[in-house]
Amino acid sequence: MATTKAQAPAGDTRRWAALFCIGLAQLMIVLDATVVNIALPSIQRDLEVSDGDRQWIVTGYTLAFGGLLLLGGRIADHVGRRRTFLVALVGFAGASMLGGAASGFETLLVARVLQGTFGALLGPSALSLLTVTFTRPDERAKAFGIWGAISAAGGAVGLLAGGALTQYLDWRWCMYINVPLALVAAVGGIGVLAESRRAGGARFDVPGVLLVTGGLVAIVYAAGRAESSGWGSPTVTGLLAGGALLLAVFALVERRVPHPLLPPRLVADRTRGAAYLAVGLSVIGMFAAFLFLTYYMQGVMGYSPVRTGVAFLPMVTAVLVSAGGLTTRLLPRVPPRALVVPGMLIGSCGMLWMLRLEVGGGYAGGVLVSLLLFGFGAGMILPTALNYATRGVHPDDTGVASAGVNTAQQIGASIGTAVLNTIATGATADHLAEHGPAAAGQAVVEGFQVAGAWAAGIMLAGALAVGLLMNAPRPRREDDPEDAPAVAVHA
């Protein structure tokens, strides 16, 4: 074993090639969050899946992914981040092939659970590789700007890809699309990624693993059930209470075990904790935009799946302009909250603009403005928050720190989508009760408006919390050796 600085010369193109492979893996994960949703009606018809079982096509993935993220991060730290990354890519590709070839619901469900399991290894290992590969402040800003843009725009790209693949080919290609992406990333990664892992033998916190996995699975499953059963159902409230109890016990255990799965010092840091919070809350707004604007364009405006996907492209453009043109330039020069807080405020304005949606409304005056505002805000939030969620972490803990931010993202998406969908359906039902079936179209729009307003309120509250918590100063501009932590590199 040799301990070296994880900092190569500025002209080292291998690191940028490594960023391409890592970014491709992240794109695959983000795509999978939306591409299958678009294909769900076709899957249900083709495999004769019942209405009661169809949720498991999505839930099977999210349960495995969300529940195993912290374990996946610690496995990457101990086993090796490069090795974990490559194994996860091959496993994800294999699970995707199995899903695409599925002849029945049971096989597809197994494939989705396997995708979630390998995704829980892939997400933390990819982000931790990015963290140890880019340590110079200026290059780190560029790398995380690209990573944040992929994270913010990938969902919209997934909507476009899912619509096109389902409409012009077959829903199975929504699974098969992962195979070439994974293979390119794996083959490239073999040549350009350096191995790094925690020194010493693997010591896993088994009680912590069981507690946090059980708690996260219970909460994610409860959020999924809440959409159909309601938040007041005994099953949902019992799962939420049980999950919260398991996570509380997990927090106590982590303070006492010698080798904790999630060291308390990681989340105790104010800037890192605020970064986790910013990611989780911004994802609530992001998935609200995807969910409600997709239904509005298809159900109210009559757009096809492909046209809906194309309609999201301005949001992708706004993310790229914001992340690449603004955030990467300012990230090495200003305190993080100077980017995250304005980004959350701009994103909340995008959600508030949904109040202008109406039956018979046009694209330019309603949907387009919301997408541009939210995309520009997300391009400021995610690169900055992801950077500071892993910045300054001890090299031994980069995997689990990366898993922490992935967990915040997953929990935010699961709970936020369920809560906002409940709010939307409740507002729609109230409008129908008051105005009758003749106002069905307006009732649906009313639900989207109310849910969008709640999403805006959540992001505004998040902006206030992040502004108070995220106290990191402006980064040092000089090439300080302390910014390049030592990493154990193993041949």
Side-chain angles (χ1 to χ4, degrees):
M1 182 191 77
T3 300
T4 67
K5 290 286 185 184
Q7 182 148 341
D12 186 2
T13 57
R14 286 171 61 91
R15 284 177 297 132
W16 297 105
L19 175 61
F20 173 79
C21 298
I22 297 169
L24 202 59
Q26 175 67 4
L27 177 62
M28 186 175 66
I29 294 174
V30 179
L31 278 175
D32 209 65
T34 54
V35 71
V36 174
N37 290 0
I38 294 293
L40 199 55
S42 298
I43 295 173
Q44 187 177 0
R45 288 193 302 270
D46 192 19
L47 299 185
E48 298 181 350
V49 181
S50 68
D51 289 343
D53 286 339
R54 67 182 175 187
Q55 65 159 330
W56 287 104
I57 299 173
V58 175
T59 305
Y61 175 85
T62 58
L63 285 178
F65 185 75
L68 297 174
L69 273 168
L70 287 176
L71 176 60
R74 191 50 96 191
I75 288 174
D77 285 333
H78 284 300
V79 175
R81 298 169 187 111
R82 176 179 178 271
R83 181 180 301 172
T84 304
F85 178 78
L86 295 175
V87 169
L89 281 172
V90 174
F92 202 99
S96 299
M97 290 181 64
L98 177 64
S103 59
F105 168 69
E106 293 78 9
T107 303
L108 180 60
L109 179 59
V110 170
R112 292 292 286 163
V113 171
L114 288 174
Q115 279 185 314
T117 301
F118 285 110
L121 290 172
L122 184 59
S125 61
L127 184 54
S128 61
L129 281 170
L130 187 72
T131 300
V132 301
T133 301
F134 292 91
T135 56
R136 291 168 53 97
D138 56 340
E139 293 188 346
R140 184 177 171 93
K142 293 177 184 177
F144 274 89
I146 294 170
W147 183 270
I150 292 172
S151 299
V157 174
L159 293 174
L160 174 59
L165 291 171
T166 302
Q167 185 167 329
Y168 296 121
L169 292 174
D170 187 84
W171 67 263
R172 297 178 186 277
W173 283 97
C174 293
M175 296 284 180
Y176 291 144
I177 192 176
N178 293 318
V179 178
L181 295 176
L183 292 180
V184 170
V187 171
I190 291 173
V192 299
L193 292 173
E195 183 61 287
S196 66
R197 63 176 180 265
R198 187 171 184 167
R203 302 180 184 89
F204 287 103
D205 169 22
V206 176
V209 168
L210 296 176
L211 287 168
V212 75
T213 301
L216 291 174
V217 166
I219 290 174
V220 171
Y221 180 63
R225 283 294 300 268
E227 295 190 54
S228 58
S229 302
W231 289 95
S233 74
T235 300
V236 172
T237 54
L239 285 168
L240 287 174
L245 178 61
L246 288 173
L247 292 181
V249 176
F250 169 73
L252 294 175
V253 168
E254 296 305 275
R255 294 178 179 274
R256 291 166 171 78
V257 295
H259 304 287
L261 177 67
L262 180 63
R265 64 179 179 276
L266 289 181
V267 292
D269 181 90
R270 287 179 57 178
T271 296
R272 188 170 301 111
Y276 288 174
L277 182 66
V279 170
L281 295 183
S282 64
V283 165
I284 292 176
M286 185 185 307
F287 274 78
F290 290 154
L291 179 66
F292 299 125
L293 292 179
T294 296
Y295 277 117
Y296 175 73
M297 285 187 279
Q298 291 191 21
V300 178
M301 299 180 72
Y303 282 15
S304 68
V306 173
R307 189 179 181 186
T308 300
V310 172
F312 275 99
L313 290 180
M315 176 182 171
V316 177
T317 303
V319 170
L320 296 177
V321 169
S322 176
L326 177 68
T327 304
T328 56
R329 297 175 184 272
L330 294 180
L331 192 52
R333 297 180 173 89
V334 301
R337 63 182 169 190
L339 289 169
V340 175
V341 173
M344 297 187 80
L345 294 176
I346 294 171
S348 67
C349 290
M351 293 294 95
L352 284 175
W353 198 266
M354 290 176 65
L355 292 171
R356 296 178 60 87
L357 299 179
E358 56 186 17
V359 178
Y363 172 77
V367 175
L368 178 61
V369 177
S370 281
L371 291 176
L372 290 175
L373 287 171
F374 190 83
F376 196 87
M380 298 173 68
I381 300 165
L382 290 178
T384 310
L386 291 169
N387 188 339
Y388 279 85
T390 55
R391 187 174 184 269
V393 174
H394 191 279
D396 287 350
D397 295 326
T398 55
V400 74
S402 302
V405 72
N406 277 277
T407 300
Q409 187 172 346
Q410 178 64 33
I411 294 299
S414 298
I415 296 181
T417 301
V419 169
L420 293 175
N421 192 57
T422 301
I423 291 171
T425 53
T428 297
D430 291 343
H431 191 90
L432 282 173
E434 184 175 350
H435 296 92
Q442 183 57 45
V444 172
V445 174
E446 175 80 9
F448 298 160
Q449 292 174 336
V450 173
W454 272 91
I458 291 170
M459 293 192 71
L460 285 172
L464 177 61
V466 170
L468 294 174
L469 290 172
M470 189 173 271
N471 61 343
R474 178 177 65 85
R476 289 189 295 269
R477 296 188 63 180
E478 65 273 12
D479 189 10
D480 193 318
E482 291 183 8
D483 287 333
V487 176
V489 179
H490 300 255

